[in-house]
Amino acid sequence: MSPRPIPGFHAVVPAGGAGTRLWPLSRRAHPKFLLDLTGSGRTLLQGTWDRLAPLADGVTVVTGEAHAAAVREQLPELAGHALLTEPSGRDSMAAIGLAAALLRERHGDVVVGSFAADHVVRRPEAFAAAVREAVAAARAGYVVTIGVEADHPSTAFGYVESGAPLGVEGAPTALHVASFAEKPDAGTAAAYLGTGRYRWNAGMFVVRAEVLLEHLRRLQPPLHDGLLAIARAWDGPDRAEVLAREWPRLTRIAIDHAVAEPVAADGGVAVVPAELGWDDVGDWRSLATLLPAAADGVRTLGEGPALAADSAGAVLVPATGRLVAVLGLPGAVVVDTPDALLVTTTDHAQRLKEVVDRLPDALR
Amino acid sequence: MSPRPIPGFHAVVPAGGAGTRLWPLSRRAHPKFLLDLTGSGRTLLQGTWDRLAPLADGVTVVTGEAHAAAVREQLPELAGHALLTEPSGRDSMAAIGLAAALLRERHGDVVVGSFAADHVVRRPEAFAAAVREAVAAARAGYVVTIGVEADHPSTAFGYVESGAPLGVEGAPTALHVASFAEKPDAGTAAAYLGTGRYRWNAGMFVVRAEVLLEHLRRLQPPLHDGLLAIARAWDGPDRAEVLAREWPRLTRIAIDHAVAEPVAADGGVAVVPAELGWDDVGDWRSLATLLPAAADGVRTLGEGPALAADSAGAVLVPATGRLVAVLGLPGAVVVDTPDALLVTTTDHAQRLKEVVDRLPDALR
């Protein structure tokens, strides 16, 4: 059953990423969001589309020039004018701010919701309900985030600390946000969970375009002015000229630091708690939890032949058609691609950058 | 300095093997002896040739039909008539017995020495000295084996138990053989080493052709008669006909069981102890000890690119040109070939057959 659309709600999907944490499957030129990492037959970008398109009046994708063709190919339903191509990466505030400013130009003061292109949500119906509440809270003037139920004391995510109920109609579960916290150490993460007030910050923000741009005008005036200039020129003949002039000068900053944290300190942020079955697929260990395990405890991504003995918990990615055989390596991670092979363990997955940093450019 | 040749000594090299223990580098169709496993630039077969050719009046290679072309290609110096092709594998007694019978037909009662095509000897000068003594003892009528100094209580090899000095001129270090012992368990192997009387049985046998064939006539009469019939016809017009008739009926038996053990029980076997730097390259762990370790403790076989972090003791075989990257897997074994990839550890190397047994035929 498809969820009802939410009138006046526009989804924005920033589609970027360095591609290092799931190397060698993801690459700089072919990052995570372009991959089907769950064996569902849909890439993460397509999965994001599938979640958002039924809910929104429109979906806008913001991506780099290098990925525009791949995005168009994967999302044939995406309207031509709804793909915003960035000349270079200027971090999430520029990407989302540009989309918000342009949506306001085109549609007026709509509610904008920003959702990463490379996350997994296993409970789309819970996601739809949370977005619906978030839009209601956003209409009341809040910057709203969706706070993901933390099922373990992860040190890989930032946290949102909640306060009192928000008391906005249409958003019965929404709470005030007391603060945002950076990725904690293990002890702090455990303490967070103990309070019951902390949820994972999944980087989902829902806000009225006017509200976002007003915060931006106040907190980051040069960035605000640059984005507005670009948005006003976007659908006219001067886009290229204005982009060339303004884009390189845009402040590089994440939306968390630019808006969410300072506005939270002033009481302007709300959180809708949700159990989404969410995962940012941040590394090979994280991906492992998303793949079904065979009877021998081995998880395989891809159609290639694989054969394992005594290797429970292993993650095999046979992506070349060659046989991948693993013997006596519980928790092994074996990723077989045409030009590079990675062999590590789920325990070492977070250290992959050490390897990628040593790679020749052609293999990154 | 090349060693002096030993007059009347003919080397025999049985070149066979299933190719399973170093899979996927070795295959049924491309077994271990055809590979350069030490990075020396010479295959094991070529290394065997290099050790034997300077010592012998001639080198005879016995191999299966499937490998004849590869052997000729690797050994261009091998005389055409010195390559004996077996219609099918009938174990080592048939292979060595055929060579001995044919050498007697061609050259009379020469001394025949049999040496596997797929072992490594790191001290060829010690090998030459041991063969020289073994030939002297063989001339005196003994079946002579070269007993490899056991530097650890291996459970992967059979052992030769020595007795009193042989007292044969030209073989000052040779000893009587009391018995042959099968691969022992760990406790037994340690006890063997404690006595100082046990050496590894490396399957090297040196014996006069007449002596070997007389033992065979007595101990395995049908096999003896079949081999003699084949040898007599070999250089004439009836080879194919006689082979077709006799070969399929030859008894399948190893030379150890057919001759060495029963003759030892009668006091007819001698051993020349030797420190050869010998290795049968029986599995990936064994191969690891033959490769030089880089500063990070990683051993690499092949020219392909490899990159390792926190993986001391790993053995990497990049045989496709693809990058092989290993992170956090000490003792890993990663063998990258065009149609199959093996990931295991040196600790599991001896269990490789479990994997190979599950392979489709095309990948064996």
Side-chain angles (χ1 to χ4, degrees):
Chain A
M1 193 179 71
S2 221
R4 284 171 296 124
I6 306 168
F9 168 59
H10 284 255
V12 173
V13 177
T20 61
R21 289 195 297 174
L22 292 171
W23 184 88
L25 203 57
S26 68
R27 305 288 176 102
R28 213 154 41 184
H30 198 74
K32 203 174 76 178
F33 65 83
L34 295 172
L35 301 171
D36 172 11
L37 290 175
T38 61
S40 67
R42 299 284 282 170
T43 68
L44 295 183
L45 174 65
Q46 291 172 324
T48 305
W49 173 273
D50 295 345
R51 276 194 299 285
L52 291 168
L55 294 178
D57 277 352
V59 179
T60 299
V61 177
V62 189
T63 196
E65 285 171 355
H67 306 311
V71 169
R72 284 201 187 288
E73 191 175 334
Q74 291 201 356
L75 299 180
E77 314 90 333
L78 182 68
H81 68 275
L83 177 61
L84 310 187
T85 304
E86 300 177 301
S88 62
R90 306 307 282 184
D91 216 327
S92 59
M93 190 66 256
I96 297 166
L98 171 64
L102 188 57
L103 287 167
R104 187 177 62 173
E105 290 292 321
R106 291 174 175 171
H107 307 288
D109 186 19
V110 294
V111 174
V112 175
S114 169
F115 305 90
D118 57 359
H119 294 178
V120 163
V121 170
R122 277 165 292 186
R123 300 190 55 215
E125 72 297 341
F127 174 79
V131 170
R132 205 171 298 275
E133 285 204 49
V135 171
R139 287 218 172 89
Y142 290 95
V143 176
V144 190
T145 187
I146 295 176
V148 173
E149 173 103 354
D151 58 15
H152 66 278
S154 174
T155 59
F157 308 130
Y159 285 72
V160 191
E161 184 192 8
S162 60
L166 196 66
V168 164
E169 196 176 354
T173 72
L175 306 166
H176 286 283
V177 166
S179 70
F180 286 88
E182 301 277 325
K183 295 175 187 178
D185 59 32
T188 306
Y192 284 173
L193 254 65
T195 68
R197 293 198 312 273
Y198 285 81
R199 291 173 186 80
W200 290 333
N201 175 8
M204 304 175 183
F205 291 103
V206 182
V207 59
R208 270 181 26 223
E210 286 283 3
V211 171
L212 180 67
L213 293 169
E214 175 55 24
H215 285 310
L216 203 58
R217 191 194 58 72
R218 187 168 52 87
L219 295 163
Q220 297 282 339
L223 179 54
H224 169 268
D225 295 350
L227 289 173
L228 255 60
I230 294 168
R232 283 179 187 136
W234 193 271
D235 289 332
D238 301 332
R239 184 204 297 181
E241 182 200 328
V242 176
L243 258 184
R245 185 180 70 231
E246 299 290 341
W247 192 265
R249 301 160 57 204
L250 297 181
T251 310
R252 288 180 198 265
I253 188 168
I255 188 171
D256 303 70
H257 303 313
V259 168
E261 290 166 15
V263 174
D266 291 339
V269 180
V271 58
V272 176
E275 296 183 37
L276 303 180
W278 172 85
D279 201 298
D280 76 340
V281 206
D283 59 28
W284 287 109
R285 179 207 281 270
S286 164
L287 177 61
T289 65
L290 299 174
L291 298 170
D296 60 1
V298 174
R299 296 162 204 273
T300 304
L301 175 62
E303 301 296 314
L307 191 162
D310 264 2
S311 301
V315 182
L316 309 186
V317 187
T320 64
R322 302 187 316 153
L323 174 77
V324 173
V326 179
L327 169 65
L329 275 168
V333 174
V334 180
V335 187
D336 185 40
T337 75
D339 60 351
L341 163 70
L342 171 67
V343 181
T344 185
T345 71
T346 50
D347 285 347
H348 289 82
Q350 285 212 291
R351 291 177 47 199
L352 187 54
K353 198 170 177 301
E354 294 175 31
V355 167
V356 175
D357 284 349
R358 290 164 59 192
L359 290 175
D361 257 15
L363 290 174
R364 291 195 187 188
Chain B
M1 194 179 68
S2 219
R4 283 172 297 121
I6 305 168
F9 168 60
H10 284 255
V12 173
V13 177
T20 60
R21 290 195 297 176
L22 292 171
W23 184 88
L25 203 56
S26 67
R27 306 288 177 101
R28 213 154 41 183
H30 197 73
K32 206 175 75 179
F33 65 84
L34 294 172
L35 301 171
D36 171 12
L37 289 175
T38 61
S40 67
R42 301 283 281 168
T43 67
L44 296 184
L45 174 66
Q46 291 172 324
T48 305
W49 172 274
D50 295 345
R51 276 193 300 284
L52 291 168
L55 294 178
D57 277 352
V59 178
T60 298
V61 176
V62 189
T63 196
E65 284 170 356
H67 307 310
V71 169
R72 284 200 188 286
E73 192 175 333
Q74 293 202 356
L75 299 179
E77 314 90 331
L78 182 68
H81 68 276
L83 178 61
L84 310 188
T85 305
E86 300 178 301
S88 63
R90 307 306 281 183
D91 217 328
S92 58
M93 189 67 255
I96 297 166
L98 171 64
L102 187 57
L103 287 167
R104 187 177 63 172
E105 290 292 321
R106 290 174 175 172
H107 306 288
D109 187 18
V110 294
V111 174
V112 174
S114 169
F115 306 90
D118 58 359
H119 294 177
V120 163
V121 170
R122 278 166 290 186
R123 299 189 55 215
E125 71 298 339
F127 175 77
V131 171
R132 204 170 298 276
E133 286 204 48
V135 171
R139 286 218 173 90
Y142 289 94
V143 175
V144 190
T145 187
I146 295 176
V148 173
E149 174 103 352
D151 59 15
H152 66 278
S154 174
T155 58
F157 308 129
Y159 285 73
V160 191
E161 184 192 7
S162 59
L166 195 66
V168 163
E169 195 177 354
T173 71
L175 305 165
H176 286 283
V177 166
S179 70
F180 286 88
E182 301 276 324
K183 294 175 186 178
D185 59 31
T188 306
Y192 284 172
L193 254 64
T195 67
R197 292 198 313 273
Y198 285 81
R199 291 174 185 81
W200 289 333
N201 175 6
M204 304 175 182
F205 291 103
V206 182
V207 60
R208 273 181 24 224
E210 285 284 3
V211 170
L212 180 66
L213 294 169
E214 175 54 23
H215 285 310
L216 203 59
R217 191 194 59 72
R218 188 169 51 88
L219 296 162
Q220 298 281 337
L223 179 54
H224 169 269
D225 295 350
L227 289 173
L228 253 60
I230 294 167
R232 282 178 189 136
W234 193 271
D235 289 332
D238 301 333
R239 184 203 298 182
E241 182 199 327
V242 176
L243 259 183
R245 186 182 69 232
E246 299 290 340
W247 192 265
R249 302 160 58 204
L250 297 181
T251 310
R252 287 181 198 265
I253 188 168
I255 187 172
D256 303 69
H257 303 314
V259 168
E261 291 167 15
V263 174
D266 291 339
V269 180
V271 58
V272 176
E275 297 183 37
L276 303 180
W278 172 86
D279 202 297
D280 76 341
V281 206
D283 59 27
W284 287 109
R285 178 207 281 269
S286 164
L287 178 61
T289 66
L290 299 175
L291 297 170
D296 60 0
V298 174
R299 297 162 203 273
T300 304
L301 174 62
E303 301 297 314
L307 192 161
D310 265 0
S311 301
V315 182
L316 309 185
V317 186
T320 64
R322 302 186 318 153
L323 176 76
V324 173
V326 179
L327 169 65
L329 276 168
V333 174
V334 180
V335 186
D336 185 39
T337 75
D339 60 351
L341 163 70
L342 171 68
V343 181
T344 184
T345 72
T346 50
D347 285 347
H348 289 82
Q350 286 211 289
R351 292 176 47 197
L352 187 54
K353 197 169 177 302
E354 294 175 31
V355 167
V356 175
D357 284 349
R358 291 163 60 191
L359 291 174
D361 257 14
L363 289 175
R364 291 197 187 185

